[in-house]
Amino acid sequence: MNPEARSGRQTAAGFYLCTMRHLIAVLLLVTLALPARAGITRGADVLALTAGVICAPEATGFRDAPDTILGRTHILDRMPAFAAETLTVPAVLGVGFGVRVQAAEGMGTDPLIVTLTHPPMGEAGVQRQSFDSTISGQGPNIVFYQFDYPYELVTGQWTFEARRGGDLAYRVVFDVVPPQAVPELAALCRDRDLMS
């Protein structure tokens, strides 16, 4: 066999192996980055996080939240279940969406500032609201936004970002869409109300 031919085969094999190693490394990096690209980012202290659509629960009270349009947030006596775990939300009155989150064990209950950014809303074109919340290692907490008024039904990207001090606890990006874009999601809460 010609030594040059053998050398060419070894070079081709080496190139192939090197290319495969690079491809595997790139695929591994893409796979590890998928949760952030999919719209969910968790800080190191967050043990579990799920996001989805909620059918409007009955509020048992309200808490002052001066950095929101209404100046208050709902207080619930029980944690609502997700009607669907999704980052796509129909712009329908009575539909809520948000995050159920739990800190790592031993974290205690730490205050958070949740900032909600969204397309311009209402006459003032508000794009940012914030309120206090908590995160605990003892069990999950829920943070959600609920469409109660027609002016809130703005489509586009809505982002929940929670910070403890300067540290990111979580960031979740939802896509609020017209109800006809996701008829099965738009009907979830209506169907539930009809059955109860």
Side-chain angles (χ1 to χ4, degrees):
M1 178 179 264
N2 183 338
E4 290 178 349
R6 188 174 53 228
S7 173
R9 283 189 185 144
Q10 288 173 342
T11 303
F15 175 77
Y16 175 76
L17 287 174
C18 184
T19 302
M20 288 306 293
R21 284 187 195 125
H22 282 93
L23 182 60
I24 290 168
V26 167
L27 287 174
L28 182 60
L29 287 173
V30 167
T31 302
L32 292 174
L34 278 178
R37 289 181 51 210
I40 297 177
T41 305
R42 295 187 332 192
D45 295 338
V46 172
L47 176 68
L49 185 149
T50 53
V53 171
I54 298 166
C55 296
E58 282 292 322
T60 55
F62 299 95
R63 180 176 40 215
D64 287 342
D67 293 326
T68 64
I69 292 176
L70 287 178
R72 65 184 191 182
T73 59
H74 291 85
I75 296 174
L76 306 177
D77 62 356
R78 63 179 177 80
M79 186 172 305
F82 287 123
E85 288 187 20
T86 178
L87 297 178
T88 303
V89 180
V92 173
L93 290 176
V95 167
F97 58 102
V99 177
R100 183 169 47 241
V101 61
Q102 182 171 347
E105 196 171 332
M107 289 303 298
T109 301
D110 293 330
L112 297 174
I113 300 294
V114 177
T115 302
L116 179 63
T117 55
H118 48 72
M121 179 195 296
E123 290 181 14
V126 172
Q127 294 180 295
R128 184 178 187 273
Q129 303 180 63
S130 62
F131 49 91
D132 296 335
S133 186
T134 59
I135 186 171
S136 169
Q138 303 303 309
N141 294 70
I142 194 157
V143 175
F144 69 99
Y145 190 89
Q146 182 174 301
F147 295 131
D148 293 322
Y149 303 99
Y151 71 84
E152 297 174 302
L153 300 175
V154 292
T155 58
Q157 185 173 292
W158 289 60
T159 303
F160 285 75
E161 183 175 285
R163 290 190 173 271
R164 181 179 29 238
D167 297 329
L168 179 71
Y170 60 85
R171 180 184 300 115
V172 179
V173 180
F174 291 92
D175 188 23
V176 176
V177 299
Q180 60 271 23
V182 285
E184 67 288 351
L185 288 175
L188 276 176
C189 296
R190 184 190 67 224
D191 293 345
R192 184 199 69 166
D193 291 341
L194 291 174
M195 290 188 286
S196 39

